[in-house]
Amino acid sequence: MTKPIVGPVDASIVPRFAGIATFARLPRIEDVEHTDIAIVGIPFDSGVSYRPGARFGPAHVREASRLLRPYNPAQDVSPFAVQQVSDAGDIAANPFSIDDAILEIEAAALDLATRADRILTIGGDHTIALPLLRAVTKKHGPVAVLHFDAHLDTWDTYFGAPVTHGTPFRRASEEGLIDLTASMHVGTRGPLYSAEDLTDDSRLGFAVVTSEDIEDDGVAVAIERIRDRIGDKPLYISIDIDVLDPAHAPGTGTPEAGGLTSRELLRILRALADKNIVGADVVEVAPAYDHAQLTAVAASHVAYELLSAMAPRDNQTPTATPAS
C-alpha cells in the first residue's frame, strides 16, 4: 500500500505569513511515515575566512521559502506531490571546535539517512560540505561533485587550519570522496592567490566552467559541458550562493563581482533533472548582509529547483494532502 504524501500547509486556509516556518511550509519529519527527501539546516559558520553570519542562514531561507508553491511549471512537476519531502530541523554542531563540528555533522547526516532516502542541506558555511560528502559516499562511493561557487574551495589551509570553508573539496578529493573524472566547478571568477591554484585544482579532479565562459558561450553550452562531464555518475550538487552576482545575492560572506544571474543558475539546475542526484546543499547565505530577502529568496528557489530535479517523473498523478 502506497503511503500517503503530506504536502505543504494550504495557503488558502492558513496565510503564508502565519504558522511554523518549515521549508516551504512542509511537514516536519516527525509528522510523516516516511521521507524521500529531508531538508535539514546546519547553522554553522565557524569555518568562514571573512564575513560571518551564515549560521543564521537556515532560518532565513526557511522564512523566504513561505512563498513557494506546489507546482513547478518550468520543470512540469509537483515536487511535493510525487515524493514525500519533510523538514528535519537543524543539525547542532559545536561552534567553537571545527574538528568536533565536522564529526557531529557527519554522524547526524548518517543518522538522518536512516530516515530519509536523500538529504538537501541548507547552510551554514561551505565547511559543511566535507562531512556531508563523507556521509553520502558511505552509501554511494565516490560521487561526481557539481560545485557552483565564485571560488574553487580547493585551497590547502588557512592559518594552518586544514578544514575551513575554502578547503572542503581539496580534503574531499584527498580522501577519495570525489569521482575525479566527473566533477566540476561552475561560476568561478575573481582573483586567485596564484596560477598554481588552477593547476592544483585540476590535479584534484575538477574541470571548470567559469562565469566568463558562461558570458562568452552562453548557458546552453555550459549545460552541455556540465552534462558531458557528469555522465551517469551518482551526483552531489553543492551550491555556494555567492556563485550569483552580488546584485542577486548580496547576503553572503565572500562576494565577488561578475557572477551568474539567478535565472542562469535556475536554468542550469533544471537541465539536471534526469541525473542521479544523491544529495545537495545550498550554503553561505548570511542574513546580516541581505537586503529585502534577495539572497534568501534566491536560495529558497534554488532549493526548490533541486527538489524538483530530484522528483520522479514516471508518475505525476498523486496529489499531496496539505499539512494541517
Side-chain angles (χ1 to χ4, degrees), residues 24-323:
R25 309 179 84 205
L26 288 159
R28 301 179 308 162
I29 195 168
E30 297 87 352
D31 297 330
V32 297
E33 293 183 40
H34 172 76
T35 293
D36 295 302
I37 303 177
I39 299 169
V40 66
I42 304 182
F44 173 86
D45 67 357
S46 300
V48 299
S49 58
Y50 193 49
R51 302 193 304 197
R55 65 182 61 183
F56 301 108
H60 193 53
V61 174
R62 284 187 176 103
E63 190 63 34
S65 74
R66 287 176 178 271
L67 197 57
L68 294 172
R69 298 179 179 88
Y71 174 65
N72 184 342
Q75 295 201 46
D76 187 24
V77 68
S78 297
F80 308 137
V82 296
Q83 58 191 350
Q84 181 63 69
V85 186
S86 66
D87 194 317
D90 289 341
I91 292 173
N94 190 326
F96 302 109
S97 169
I98 293 178
D99 291 341
D100 288 351
I102 293 301
L103 295 175
E104 291 162 355
I105 292 167
E106 180 183 357
L110 287 169
D111 178 70
L112 183 55
T114 66
R115 295 181 286 155
D117 296 335
R118 289 178 286 183
I119 300 170
L120 171 59
T121 304
I122 302 171
D125 76 52
H126 224 152
T127 310
I128 69 174
L130 178 59
L132 293 172
L133 281 169
R134 287 175 178 170
V136 81
T137 55
K138 292 267 198 317
K139 178 178 180 179
H140 298 282
V143 293
V145 172
L146 183 58
H147 171 220
F148 293 84
D149 202 319
H151 312 95
L152 299 172
D153 287 2
T154 51
W155 287 291
D156 192 7
T157 64
Y158 282 104
F159 293 89
V163 179
T164 73
H165 77 156
T167 69
F169 299 108
R170 188 186 195 97
R171 301 286 90 85
S173 178
E174 292 170 347
E175 293 179 19
L177 309 179
I178 289 175
D179 188 321
L180 304 183
T181 70
S183 297
M184 176 175 274
H185 306 295
V186 179
T188 55
R189 62 190 186 276
L192 300 171
Y193 294 103
S194 76
E196 291 180 4
D197 292 343
L198 297 172
T199 304
D200 274 357
D201 188 74
S202 178
R203 177 179 57 79
L204 291 164
F206 286 93
V208 181
V209 174
T210 67
S211 182
E212 290 79 9
D213 290 334
I214 294 174
E215 172 69 18
D216 291 342
D217 303 326
V219 175
V221 172
I223 288 171
E224 183 179 1
R225 287 184 59 192
I226 292 166
R227 290 179 56 81
D228 287 347
R229 177 75 174 173
I230 295 166
D232 60 357
K233 306 294 178 62
L235 174 62
Y236 186 90
I237 301 176
S238 187
I239 302 176
D240 186 327
I241 205 65
D242 74 18
V243 73
L244 298 179
D245 189 87
H248 298 263
T252 192
T254 49
E256 304 279 357
L260 275 61
T261 67
S262 54
R263 181 171 57 241
E264 289 168 337
L265 176 56
L266 297 180
R267 182 179 171 191
I268 293 170
L269 295 177
R270 291 165 185 156
L272 304 174
D274 62 335
K275 297 300 182 182
N276 180 23
I277 304 172
V278 297
D281 63 60
V282 183
V283 300
E284 299 282 356
V285 174
Y289 314 105
D290 205 5
H291 305 286
Q293 290 188 317
L294 286 177
T295 313
V297 168
S300 68
H301 280 263
V302 165
Y304 181 69
E305 293 299 337
L306 287 167
L307 291 169
S308 298
M310 289 190 272
R313 293 308 204 270
D314 55 349
N315 185 359
Q316 287 292 298
T317 56
T319 300
T321 301

